[in-house]
Amino acid sequence: MPKKKRKKRPPTKERYYIPQDVTSPLARLYRRYIRGQRAVPLFPPIINVETQSGCNAACAFCPNRKTAATLPQGRMDEALFRKIIDEAVAYNPERISPYLNNEPLLDSDLPERIRYIASKRRPCTEISINTNASRLEGELARELLRCGLDALHISFHGISRETYEASMRGLSFEDNLRRVNDFLALWREAPQPKPHVHVTMVHSKLIEPEIPQIRAYWGERGIKAVIRPLGNRAHIAVEQSNLNPGAWLPFVHCKELVHQAVIIYSGDVLLCCVDWERSTVLGNLREQSLYEIWNGPKFLDIRRRYFAGRVEGILCGKCKRAKGTDGER
């Protein structure tokens, strides 16, 4: 009789384990191959570095303006920036992004900072930024084509003036559409195929009626439109904005705690990119290394609590996603 195929045991609810808590080689093999879990990496695969805080838009789905008015703002000095990059490139991360929740092109030195990363990183490390395109013109646009940037994500919500300006408040639809199309013309003429360019947006009630037209417009220009699920960004203002096309659900299997380091202009390392109020500062890179903070007791304790489902009292307990998405960041 033919042998029956052995059914694979489905992975447990939590996809990761903390290597500091599982020191036995046999126990690690059990976690990996029986429970389907992976060890939390000892250094973040993705590093986000805010070189200058602030944004010139007041997008409907973003709490930036609501929190920036009450928090210190500033610009990362070059010595601190280079210290962070020098440590990061030694671990060959998947990606270094010199931006966070800010508009990165407000930093006039951004092309030079990207050049520094490009001069230090190995080919396996991608350099990417996300911009609202309000400064994507002139010499700065040309510099982004030759500074070593690998990926440029352009945040452009909607394909009509009414939808765009209701989503990306404070920005001009006509001006930014012109800037993007002018940049794409320069990009096509460039001798190298980089940076890769995508148009990105979140799936909100505002853009929902225009999604077919959005995909068609950018597709005709050879650009992929990436429409991401809406998250509440752990902020009540986003939930109260009535932008979610469905219901809110808690995040499940969020990668933030195991995949990304989030660094603001001052060198503070935050819990994740939705910590707009900077409520959970894990350490400062003027005083510690990123490796020390990533593997430090404060971060380990939060991971243990999250993996155990004990999210009350930590930022993770406030984070929600729009129903109908897979819950992955």
Side-chain angles (χ1 to χ4, degrees):
M1 290 180 63
K3 286 185 177 180
K4 288 184 179 180
K5 286 188 177 179
R6 188 177 179 182
K7 289 184 179 179
K8 289 185 179 179
R9 183 179 296 183
T12 55
K13 183 179 178 182
E14 187 47 59
R15 299 177 183 182
Y16 293 89
Y17 69 87
I18 297 171
Q20 290 88 342
D21 295 345
V22 184
T23 56
S24 163
L26 285 176
R28 291 189 176 192
L29 287 171
Y30 170 78
R31 292 280 190 138
R32 182 69 184 95
Y33 294 104
I34 304 301
R35 300 188 66 181
Q37 296 178 325
R38 288 176 287 170
V40 174
L42 294 177
F43 196 82
I46 295 172
I47 296 99
N48 298 283
V49 185
E50 176 189 76
T51 66
Q52 180 172 312
S53 64
C55 185
N56 56 345
C59 296
F61 47 84
C62 176
N64 196 328
R65 284 288 178 93
K66 295 176 179 65
T67 55
T70 61
L71 293 169
Q73 306 295 312
R75 187 172 185 277
M76 182 175 286
D77 65 70
E78 192 64 20
L80 176 59
F81 176 77
R82 293 193 174 203
K83 175 183 183 290
I84 294 166
I85 299 306
D86 289 350
E87 180 187 3
V89 296
Y91 290 90
N92 300 322
E94 294 174 15
R95 189 179 84 212
I96 298 175
S97 292
Y99 85 102
L100 182 57
N101 296 323
N102 58 320
E103 168 46 48
L105 299 189
L106 294 177
D107 182 355
S108 59
D109 291 333
L110 187 71
E112 284 306 311
R113 297 197 196 241
I114 292 172
R115 279 195 177 88
Y116 186 79
I117 302 170
S119 72
K120 295 286 185 175
R121 58 90 184 261
R122 295 183 188 176
C124 60
T125 299
E126 178 187 82
I127 307 169
S128 74
I129 61 170
N130 192 318
T131 176
N132 64 27
S134 60
R135 297 290 185 272
L136 190 63
E137 59 186 345
E139 186 59 23
L140 181 54
R142 287 186 283 274
E143 279 289 285
L144 291 178
L145 295 172
R146 55 192 182 221
C147 65
L149 186 66
D150 295 302
L152 179 66
H153 305 281
I154 299 171
S155 184
F156 204 97
H157 295 247
I159 207 60
S160 69
R161 182 177 64 81
E162 292 76 17
T163 297
Y164 178 88
E165 293 186 2
S167 298
M168 306 189 74
R169 298 167 186 162
L171 302 181
S172 164
F173 171 73
E174 287 84 3
D175 290 347
N176 274 6
L177 188 62
R178 173 189 55 78
R179 289 184 182 105
V180 174
N181 282 318
D182 288 351
F183 176 80
L184 292 178
L186 287 173
W187 175 67
R188 292 186 188 98
E189 295 170 1
Q192 296 181 346
K194 288 185 178 180
H196 300 298
V197 178
H198 295 106
V199 167
T200 69
M201 63 207 75
V202 294
H203 189 159
S204 71
K205 284 182 180 179
L206 292 170
I207 74 155
E208 193 168 38
E210 296 185 357
I211 287 176
Q213 297 96 312
I214 288 167
R215 294 193 187 281
Y217 182 89
W218 296 113
E220 288 168 3
R221 287 152 180 78
I223 300 298
K224 182 179 179 181
V226 179
I227 302 174
R228 304 189 187 281
L230 179 69
N232 75 338
R233 306 191 183 203
H235 204 283
I236 191 64
V238 179
E239 288 189 54
Q240 294 174 342
S241 66
N242 196 33
L243 292 174
N244 185 1
W248 291 110
L249 296 174
F251 264 97
V252 179
H253 303 310
C254 178
K255 289 184 176 180
E256 288 289 327
L257 301 184
V258 301
H259 212 231
Q260 297 197 54
V262 173
I263 305 161
I264 65 171
Y265 74 93
S266 63
D268 282 345
V269 179
L270 305 182
L271 182 62
C272 81
C273 64
V274 302
D275 194 356
W276 296 87
E277 278 85 6
R278 307 173 193 170
S279 65
T280 311
V281 178
L282 303 168
N284 186 279
L285 292 171
R286 295 183 187 279
E287 303 159 0
Q288 295 173 277
S289 69
L290 183 53
Y291 181 92
E292 289 170 335
I293 295 171
W294 182 259
N295 296 287
K298 193 168 184 178
F299 213 161
L300 290 179
D301 178 63
I302 292 173
R303 288 194 191 107
R304 290 185 186 107
R305 292 175 64 181
Y306 180 79
F307 292 168
R310 295 183 288 106
V311 296
E312 299 82 6
I314 59 175
L315 189 67
C316 306
K318 300 179 181 179
C319 208
K320 298 177 184 177
R321 63 179 174 86
K323 185 178 180 180
T325 67
D326 63 7
E328 292 284 7
R329 285 197 185 279

